[in-house]
Amino acid sequence: MGSSFSSATKPKIFYPPSPEEILVKKPGGGVGPESLSKLVEEHCPSLRKEFNPPWWLNNGHLQTLFSVAGDFTNIDKVIYERTYLRLMDGGTLGLDFTPPGNTFPDDAPIIVVCHGLTGGSYEAYVRAVLAPACAPVSEGGLGYRAVVVNFRGCAGVPVTSKQLYSAGWTEDLRMATIYLAHKYPRAPQLGLGFSLGANVMVRYLAEEGERSRLESACVLGNPWDLVKNNWALEHTFIGKQVYSKGMANNLVNVLKLHSKALEKVDPPTPSPTSKYEPDSTQASLVCAAYHAALALRSPPLSVFDNTFTRVGGGGPPVWPLASADAYYKHSSSHHVVPHVRKPLLAINSTDDPVVVHAPTSPEEVGSGYTVVVLTQGGGHLGWFEPSSGQVLVGTDVSKLHLRRWMTKPALEWLRLAAEVLVHGHPELPPREVVVDENGWIREVNGVREGLGCRTVESGDLIDGTEVKKEPGMLQGL
């Protein structure tokens, strides 16, 4: 993929060689099959519109760096209500719901969001979609509910176990979908993933297949093949010195923020009502990896991953992994896409300096449920273009008349998934979610032992535009 472009061009849309027939609601009543490609052509017209960046953001580096350095505090206001979930392994997730309270009916569609590498609900790229999606229909919005799954240690979520998160760890997303099925049993869940969170979401869809609690997903800036993309990232000067080291620095800062939870060897004390027993050997390995990572001096991403992520980026039985390369091979999502059994829209940019390699043909995708879109520009989670004829230069987005091209296609896909597709599987009854005798929210006959959660705190309101990012942390990645 290149690093610049000279003029606006329409995105390339790659449909599966044999698109699946998707069960949809018919306008006159009843249901029937429809080709995935026809559904996209009819319901997602923005995918065929040009991406037209301003002259001063005319390549992938500038788009990406503006996403990192821009001031987005005065646009896309979103208020969240946070719920903390304590997991059976001792960890904690932070679920940020919007709009807060019971503004919408219980059966309103829920957009389930997974953020990027060290981001959270405050990220501007998240709010760019949720602000219009969660506005009332009377105000021109979709009228949907959304929840951002803030990973362990991100966006103010405490670390309460000897584990963080990674591109290959899907259990926390899985637990979030189970909790949502318990809280809103009549509401369809729709996935929205960005960058690392996009990779997690695709892997979840592939692992769950027909039984996925996400009825569909839209993923943006997915890194797909972590081996290829990390190699490409670290074999250019800017890639290694700016992006790779910048992302690794963010991860080191996450460790520093949670030193009290990670620096001691003693594993967390198990709950007397949980069958899960903390692994003392794993806890010791994570503690050692934490200290080794803090001793690194300006490492590239691969060095950090080889030092910490391969050890503390997930739990048994897969973690720890032998090396960063083993972690990348295990956690990539490109090779599991054929197992996806829910409609999936994936959007990447051809000049993304972080994700250099993305699928460029239907054969590379290998899934009848997946549509891949490549824009000729946009960088990594940028896609900034003028929202009016006036083009200004600066950093305060509210004064620059800028918008993100990707917002409209994402909204169109979410509406298609929520209002046109038939939800559930006609031959597979939904898995029951219960509260067991010890108060854990769990799946009945769940395939994964030790997967459960409890609400430990809720009700705090968070303004997504006023979250203070920690010193040294880069937004937008």
Side-chain angles (χ1 to χ4, degrees):
M1 295 186 181
S3 60
S4 65
F5 50 94
S6 58
S7 61
T9 56
K10 292 183 179 180
K12 295 180 179 179
I13 304 177
F14 298 109
Y15 294 109
S18 301
E20 289 290 335
E21 295 281 303
I22 309 297
L23 204 59
V24 301
K25 304 167 189 173
K26 295 297 184 180
V31 300
E34 192 67 82
S35 166
L36 178 60
S37 56
K38 184 177 180 180
L39 288 171
V40 172
E41 292 289 332
E42 182 178 348
H43 295 279
C44 302
S46 292
L47 289 175
R48 299 188 299 277
K49 293 185 178 180
E50 295 178 345
F51 167 64
N52 188 16
W55 63 264
W56 56 281
L57 294 176
N58 69 346
N59 66 51
H61 294 302
L62 293 175
Q63 287 271 332
T64 303
L65 294 175
F66 188 78
S67 185
V68 172
D71 179 3
F72 303 94
T73 56
N74 295 317
I75 63 170
D76 298 325
K77 296 282 187 178
V78 177
I79 303 298
Y80 298 102
E81 183 174 356
R82 175 162 293 188
T83 295
Y84 287 108
L85 299 182
R86 183 60 45 80
L87 310 179
M88 290 184 73
D89 67 4
T92 299
L93 294 180
L95 303 188
D96 285 348
F97 289 88
T98 191
N102 295 315
T103 307
F104 294 154
D106 287 347
D107 61 352
I110 303 175
I111 305 169
V112 184
V113 183
C114 286
H115 57 76
L117 184 69
T118 51
S121 58
Y122 61 85
E123 289 284 8
Y125 56 74
V126 171
R127 293 186 284 110
V129 179
L130 296 195
C134 299
V137 175
S138 60
E139 299 177 11
L142 296 183
Y144 299 170
R145 183 177 281 110
V147 57
V148 181
V149 183
N150 295 295
F151 298 140
R152 307 178 191 215
C154 292
V157 177
V159 173
T160 54
S161 68
K162 293 293 189 290
Q163 182 188 320
L164 289 184
Y165 61 93
S166 69
W169 181 251
T170 58
E171 296 292 67
D172 292 348
L173 172 58
R174 181 171 288 105
M175 189 65 252
T177 65
I178 294 171
Y179 173 77
L180 292 171
H182 167 72
K183 186 176 177 66
Y184 298 106
R186 298 170 54 225
Q189 299 182 35
L190 317 172
L192 178 65
F194 299 88
S195 195
L196 178 138
N199 194 84
V200 172
M201 192 162 282
V202 172
R203 287 188 59 84
Y204 166 83
L205 290 171
E207 291 168 2
E208 293 292 318
E210 291 90 346
R211 289 188 172 274
S212 168
R213 292 188 182 277
L214 297 179
E215 298 293 346
S216 75
C218 174
V219 295
L220 302 111
N222 184 17
W224 299 103
D225 188 333
L226 301 182
V227 176
K228 280 187 176 181
N229 277 308
N230 186 73
W231 188 94
L233 185 68
E234 297 190 358
H235 278 74
T236 66
F237 179 82
I238 294 179
K240 183 174 183 178
Q241 299 299 324
V242 178
Y243 301 114
S244 182
K245 288 189 175 183
M247 289 187 288
N249 182 67
N250 272 12
L251 289 165
V252 170
N253 284 330
V254 170
L255 296 187
K256 290 178 179 178
L257 286 173
H258 302 287
S259 58
K260 289 184 179 180
L262 299 170
E263 64 186 0
K264 297 181 180 180
V265 176
D266 295 335
T269 303
S271 166
T273 60
S274 172
K275 297 179 181 179
Y276 179 85
E277 294 292 336
D279 188 328
S280 59
T281 301
Q282 174 71 357
S284 298
L285 290 172
V286 172
C287 180
Y290 159 82
H291 288 288
L294 291 193
L296 299 172
R297 293 294 176 264
S298 190
L301 188 58
S302 63
V303 173
F304 178 90
D305 287 337
N306 194 61
T307 304
F308 184 84
T309 310
R310 70 173 184 87
V311 180
V318 176
W319 268 260
L321 292 155
S323 63
D325 193 57
Y327 159 61
Y328 296 146
K329 289 179 180 177
H330 166 78
S331 302
S332 293
S333 59
H334 71 291
H335 56 78
V336 300
V337 176
H339 301 294
V340 171
R341 292 294 182 272
K342 298 287 186 175
L344 172 63
L345 173 66
I347 303 177
N348 283 84
S349 165
T350 58
D351 69 350
D352 188 332
V354 176
V355 181
V356 179
H357 296 284
T360 57
S361 70
E363 290 73 24
E364 281 189 73
V365 178
S367 168
Y369 292 87
T370 303
V371 177
V372 174
V373 176
L374 295 179
T375 60
Q376 305 300 306
H380 189 66
L381 301 182
W383 288 295
F384 297 105
E385 63 179 7
S387 60
S388 68
Q390 187 177 13
V391 179
L392 303 175
V393 180
T395 59
D396 186 343
V397 179
S398 66
K399 300 177 181 178
L400 296 179
H401 307 287
L402 289 178
R403 64 188 175 197
R404 293 185 193 250
W405 173 90
M406 59 84 172
T407 298
K408 280 190 176 180
L411 293 174
E412 290 169 351
W413 177 266
L414 291 169
R415 174 175 278 159
L416 163 64
E419 301 177 19
V420 178
L421 302 187
V422 173
H423 304 138
H425 193 287
E427 299 176 1
L428 295 174
R431 287 171 289 185
E432 185 181 1
V433 178
V434 299
V435 179
D436 70 16
E437 65 276 12
N438 294 315
W440 294 101
I441 299 170
R442 307 185 67 178
E443 277 186 341
V444 175
N445 299 321
V447 297
R448 289 168 171 81
E449 186 68 21
L451 197 60
C453 72
R454 287 171 164 174
T455 301
V456 291
E457 185 181 343
S458 64
D460 290 342
L461 296 183
I462 299 172
D463 186 334
T465 62
E466 295 182 357
V467 175
K468 294 182 179 179
K469 287 169 275 297
E470 300 298 332
M473 294 285 281
L474 301 176
Q475 67 177 0
L477 296 175

